[in-house]
Amino acid sequence: MFGRMIKGILTRQWKKMLMIGLTIALGASLATAMLSVMLDVGDKINQELKAYGANIIVSPQEASVIEDLYDVEGGDKATKAYLREDELSKVKTIFWAFNIVDYSPFISTSVKLDDGSEVKLTGSWFNHHLELATGETLDSGIRNMRSWWDIEDGDWIDEQGSGAEGECMVGTELAKKLGISVGDSLHVTGNASAADLTVKGIFDAGGDEDEYIFTTLDTAQAIGGLDGKVDTIEVSALTTPDNELSEKAAKDPGSLTIKQYETWYCTAYASAICYQLTEVITDSTAAPVRQVASSEGAILDKTELLMGLIAVLSMVGSALGICNLVTASVMDRSREIGLMKAIGAQNSSIILQVITEILITAAIGGAAGFAAGIGFAQIIGQTVFGSSIALRTMVIPIVIVAVLAITLIGCIPAIRQLLKLSPTEVLHE
Amino acid sequence: MSLLEINNVSKIYGELHALDKVSLKVEKGEWVAIMGPSGSGKSTLMNIIGCMDRPSEGEVLMDGIDIAKMNQKELTLIRRDKIGLVFQQFHLVNYLTAVENVMLSQYYHSIPDEKEALEALDRVGLAGRARHLPSQLSGGEQQRVCVARALINYPEIILADEPTGNLDEANEKIIMDLFHNLHNEGTTLIVVTHDPEVAQTAQRTLFLRDGKLVRETVNENFTGEIKYEDWTENK
Ligand SMILES: Nc1ncnc2c1ncn2[C@@H]1O[C@H](COP(=O)(O)OP(=O)(O)OP(=O)(O)O)[C@@H](O)[C@H]1O
Ligand SMILES: [Mg+2]
């Protein structure tokens, strides 16, 4: 009988329940969309940032002076300065370490191939596993920082696998010139030693790097006789957009007052991060390489906050809406409820009925809203970030609990009203 | 022991004494009519007998148990078990079919039994209308569904407040005939009415005025049949 009553109201009075269902659907869809975007947006922006590559480059001081003064490429000159490999881990110890999402060292050397031609061999990290002093771990390297590389054949070098030291990746131009493919062995002779490198992958970088050979840092150092040395460090960091203060500081931190200095140092300006990097890396200079993505770090927090607020507000809004609608519908049905009481219904069975009706409506509305919300999230993802939003499983229980809680809370005033209803007041004129 | 015994019952709304020290007895199987002008307290009395309201003063003994001091929950249980209600407005749940409306009463009472509910509808001549919604039934048919619902749980008393007030004479006759049958089966009937002709069908008529019981007449030639002068024409 209970089932027939529920069925009766849902099939024969669905118009009354429709508004409640729609309110719940709207709330659920907004909450789903906002939560999905909120949970995914951090990754989206990080990915986007990494897709642009590094935004800070650390290089040896003398090299930059020479390059600045004479505008020459640092070759294998005797005077050439290097950074120290043993200081690399310090990058993640600076004040803004948390904002450094990725970094990778580079070392370049010239090698001779069997046919006598000279090519550039670069050693770097691919997915170098870092155990930080804080207990954090990070897989850092060009696999992330060269995410625009198109791997035409083979795969990235896996530093965590075995045999990475004997492997290399070859730029597509060079591979074409040499007529080599994945699995072939390449004999290279450098300043210090020669080695046979197995081609692990062929990449298209769309630039100079298409003519280079990439291998692990250790291998390149060994071949070039550059043990423990690093040319440059590329750093990908989330930064706050520059302003007057940061520009002034970038020219000369010494020109700031103590208070300004503190503000600057404790804000994630690119210049502040650069400054802090030079503090930990001996004889280095660091410079921001591009400004475009720099504001996105700050936008990230604000966007997440905004989405979270919208999610909460949409739920509060639908709670109020449900509250009103359910109360109105109980008032609307006061005659029916009075009648049920008159013919012997206990309060408990009427409350059970009202709650069941609303919960079924909420379940249908919530499910529809959830589906619509995933759709919204994709629309937001496509229009704002140009990519789809991954659905986090976490969103499902959050939305279910929120819909349940809000529906039940929304029913409270109606139930209190319902308990007060007396059959005499309702049934007799 | 009388089935229903009311002693010095008053219902007071502020200054107004809707019922003023009313005492009466109804025996098992009796058919009693209650008459009186509008505002005289008829519905108030019915609500108290029907366990939907409590008196301000006095005692209401049903089967010897005083229900005047019971709480809402206990009253609901008595109402459910002992009383069948028929209202002036044909109160039905509008999203349930005729048979479902009858079953609703069974559901709150014990266990719904569709077969039994259909039999009850058959008794009021609505077997063919069981699957209709109230909106698809005429006023007379709706009131018959109410009667079927009132009698489904074999109540000790059927209380009817102006059961024919909104009906034409043909439907009035059908309802009164149903009451007549119920009376013959031993059901106690208390019927509130404005209509002297309806009141005449009862064994006893109580007259209320300004909340007081002012007169009682006994129908000497009680037949349980309704008598209209122009009855044949209406039929
Ligand atoms: N809840 C209430 N609050 C205040 N006064 C009430 C209430 N219910 C009834 N009354 C008053 O009590 C008196 C008796 O009302 P009741 O409904 O019993 O009259 P009645 O005899 O049924 O009239 P009618 O024939 O018009 O139905 C009326 O004056 C009415 O205004
Ligand atoms: Mg009345």
Side-chain angles (χ1 to χ4, degrees):
Chain A
M1 190 64 218
F2 186 70
R4 289 171 83 152
M5 288 168 72
I6 301 295
K7 197 176 138 234
I9 190 127
L10 294 179
T11 55
R12 296 175 190 138
Q13 308 245 292
W14 57 271
K15 279 180 197 150
K16 280 187 189 160
M17 304 311 278
L18 186 66
M19 277 313 293
I20 296 176
L22 279 179
T23 311
I24 294 168
L26 186 68
S29 69
L30 281 173
T32 308
M34 293 307 147
L35 281 174
S36 301
V37 174
M38 191 178 101
L39 293 175
D40 210 36
V41 78
D43 282 6
K44 283 267 111 57
I45 290 179
N46 275 355
Q47 276 167 14
E48 212 161 285
L49 204 63
K50 286 182 192 172
Y52 289 123
N55 51 359
I56 291 172
I57 292 192
V58 186
S59 40
Q61 210 156 32
E62 288 83 3
S64 81
V65 172
I66 292 168
E67 278 176 32
D68 285 356
L69 288 180
Y70 308 106
D71 192 26
V72 291
E73 280 264 309
D76 283 341
K77 291 181 208 152
T79 55
K80 179 151 185 197
Y82 293 97
L83 301 171
R84 290 163 49 184
E85 186 185 356
D86 58 6
E87 286 181 336
L88 283 174
S89 60
K90 290 187 180 171
V91 168
K92 280 294 258 183
T93 62
I94 64 165
F95 185 80
W96 283 110
F98 192 67
N99 281 36
I100 292 178
V101 289
D102 233 313
Y103 69 105
S104 189
F106 291 85
I107 183 83
S108 286
T109 184
S110 281
V111 291
K112 274 204 172 65
L113 298 177
D114 285 348
D115 64 359
S117 61
E118 255 192 47
V119 295
K120 196 162 172 181
L121 176 83
T122 303
S124 185
W125 288 347
F126 291 84
N127 55 341
H128 192 78
H129 188 71
L130 293 167
E131 304 263 356
L132 304 172
T134 56
E136 254 183 293
T137 63
L138 179 71
D139 286 336
S140 193
I142 60 173
R143 214 170 161 150
N144 292 327
M145 298 185 70
R146 292 286 187 276
S147 59
W148 65 87
W149 276 13
D150 183 16
I151 306 299
E152 292 189 329
D153 201 7
D155 204 352
W156 287 97
I157 290 175
D158 181 8
E159 284 187 77
Q160 283 154 41
S162 59
E165 304 79 36
E167 291 173 339
C168 69
M169 292 179 77
V170 181
T172 178
E173 295 290 321
L174 184 63
K176 242 179 259 164
K177 218 183 285 174
L178 300 175
I180 53 169
S181 53
V182 171
D184 289 351
S185 184
L186 201 59
H187 186 74
V188 296
T189 314
N191 292 348
S193 63
D196 283 311
L197 301 173
T198 311
V199 178
K200 181 82 191 289
I202 292 173
F203 61 85
D204 183 358
D208 291 349
E209 289 171 343
D210 287 340
E211 310 240 7
Y212 297 177
I213 301 170
F214 271 76
T215 185
T216 64
L217 194 65
D218 290 347
T219 310
Q221 284 169 340
I223 293 170
L226 298 164
D227 283 348
K229 291 175 177 167
V230 169
D231 273 334
T232 55
I233 308 167
E234 291 186 10
V235 179
S236 176
L238 297 173
T239 57
T240 306
D242 279 312
N243 59 9
E244 248 175 89
L245 176 67
S246 69
E247 275 157 22
K248 190 174 168 196
K251 283 185 197 118
D252 179 15
S255 67
L256 301 177
T257 66
I258 292 175
K259 207 160 169 211
Q260 281 175 325
Y261 179 83
E262 267 172 20
T263 316
W264 169 74
Y265 197 89
C266 298
T267 311
Y269 296 121
S271 59
I273 295 176
C274 285
Y275 181 77
Q276 289 162 12
L277 286 168
T278 61
E279 285 181 328
V280 295
I281 310 278
T282 320
D283 291 334
S284 67
T285 173
V289 285
R290 49 180 302 282
Q291 311 287 332
V292 180
S294 61
S295 62
E296 300 195 13
I299 289 176
L300 172 66
D301 290 346
K302 289 181 187 165
T303 318
E304 280 186 352
L305 187 67
L306 186 69
M307 303 261 170
L309 272 177
I310 295 176
V312 170
L313 286 180
S314 58
M315 281 313 214
V316 170
S318 50
L320 288 176
I322 291 164
C323 206
N324 263 323
L325 288 168
V326 176
T327 312
S329 104
V330 166
M331 296 312 282
D332 210 39
R333 290 165 63 188
S334 55
R335 260 169 65 118
E336 171 199 327
I337 288 163
L339 169 70
M340 288 175 175
K341 287 192 178 188
I343 61 173
Q346 307 265 359
N347 278 330
S348 54
S349 64
I350 295 176
I351 290 170
L352 186 69
Q353 191 200 335
V354 169
I355 288 184
T356 309
E357 286 165 17
I358 305 279
L359 282 184
I360 291 175
T361 313
I364 297 169
F370 184 73
I374 294 171
F376 282 159
Q378 297 313 326
I379 293 172
I380 294 172
Q382 290 300 340
T383 50
V384 181
F385 302 105
S387 68
S388 60
I389 300 278
L391 175 67
R392 302 299 170 101
T393 30
M394 190 182 159
V395 174
I396 300 172
I398 293 179
V399 169
I400 290 176
V401 169
V403 164
L404 261 180
I406 274 160
T407 311
L408 291 179
I409 290 169
C411 286
I412 289 172
I415 287 169
R416 293 182 49 169
Q417 203 74 43
L418 208 152
L419 291 175
K420 276 192 263 164
L421 269 180
S422 140
T424 53
E425 285 163 35
V426 190
L427 293 177
H428 295 272
E429 280 78 48
Chain B
M1 187 174 57
S2 308
L3 175 62
L4 176 73
E5 185 174 342
I6 290 177
N7 293 321
N8 285 321
V9 161
S10 298
K11 181 77 189 180
I12 303 163
Y13 296 112
E15 293 285 283
L16 179 86
H17 288 240
L19 285 179
D20 197 0
K21 296 202 165 51
V22 173
S23 298
L24 62 91
K25 279 185 186 178
V26 177
E27 302 300 328
K28 195 163 170 48
E30 257 196 305
W31 183 346
V32 179
I34 297 175
M35 286 196 75
S38 186
S40 57
K42 304 183 297 294
S43 294
T44 307
L45 182 59
M46 290 301 263
N47 287 342
I48 289 170
I49 298 172
C51 298
M52 291 192 283
D53 209 354
R54 276 170 297 194
S56 311
E57 289 165 11
E59 55 177 15
V60 181
L61 300 172
M62 196 158 299
D63 280 334
I65 305 162
D66 189 2
I67 60 169
K69 303 285 179 302
M70 285 186 172
N71 65 25
Q72 284 298 342
K73 198 180 157 120
E74 291 167 323
L75 286 178
T76 303
L77 294 179
I78 301 263
R79 185 160 72 224
R80 192 189 75 181
D81 293 339
K82 297 191 191 278
I83 304 204
L85 291 164
V86 180
F87 312 98
Q88 177 170 3
Q89 259 89 27
F90 333 110
H91 288 296
L92 293 171
V93 177
N94 54 12
Y95 53 83
L96 295 179
T97 60
V99 68
E100 285 169 345
N101 264 286
V102 176
M103 287 164 69
L104 191 60
S105 190
Q106 293 177 309
Y107 168 65
Y108 292 134
H109 182 264
S110 46
I111 312 159
D113 178 344
E114 186 154 16
K115 199 166 144 277
E116 215 180 321
L118 286 169
E119 281 165 16
L121 282 177
D122 194 28
R123 281 187 68 183
V124 299
L126 286 178
R129 291 270 193 275
R131 309 285 167 199
H132 287 59
L133 290 172
S135 56
Q136 298 163 330
L137 298 173
S138 75
E141 288 167 337
Q142 289 183 44
Q143 191 64 306
R144 277 142 74 189
V145 177
C146 292
V147 173
R149 183 181 61 198
L151 59 83
I152 188 74
N153 294 323
Y154 306 102
E156 294 189 20
I157 307 178
I158 287 191
L159 289 178
D161 193 351
E162 302 273 13
T164 57
N166 286 344
L167 296 180
D168 63 11
E169 286 179 359
N171 277 304
E172 184 173 307
K173 163 131 174 63
I174 296 170
I175 298 292
M176 294 320 290
D177 284 348
L178 282 170
F179 283 175
H180 182 58
N181 293 339
L182 286 171
H183 171 74
N184 287 344
E185 288 164 14
T187 310
T188 312
L189 287 166
I190 303 179
V191 179
V192 164
T193 183
H194 267 112
D195 188 337
E197 280 160 334
V198 171
Q200 266 169 29
T201 58
Q203 288 167 302
R204 243 181 343 137
T205 308
L206 302 171
F207 290 88
L208 274 176
R209 177 167 298 134
D210 297 332
K212 291 189 181 69
L213 209 51
V214 290
R215 189 154 56 94
E216 177 173 345
T217 61
V218 175
N219 189 355
E220 301 289 347
N221 39 18
F222 168 75
T223 57
E225 299 282 349
I226 194 162
K227 296 179 205 76
Y228 293 107
E229 282 157 25
D230 52 354
W231 177 239
T232 38
E233 277 171 46
N234 271 304
K235 203 169 188 180

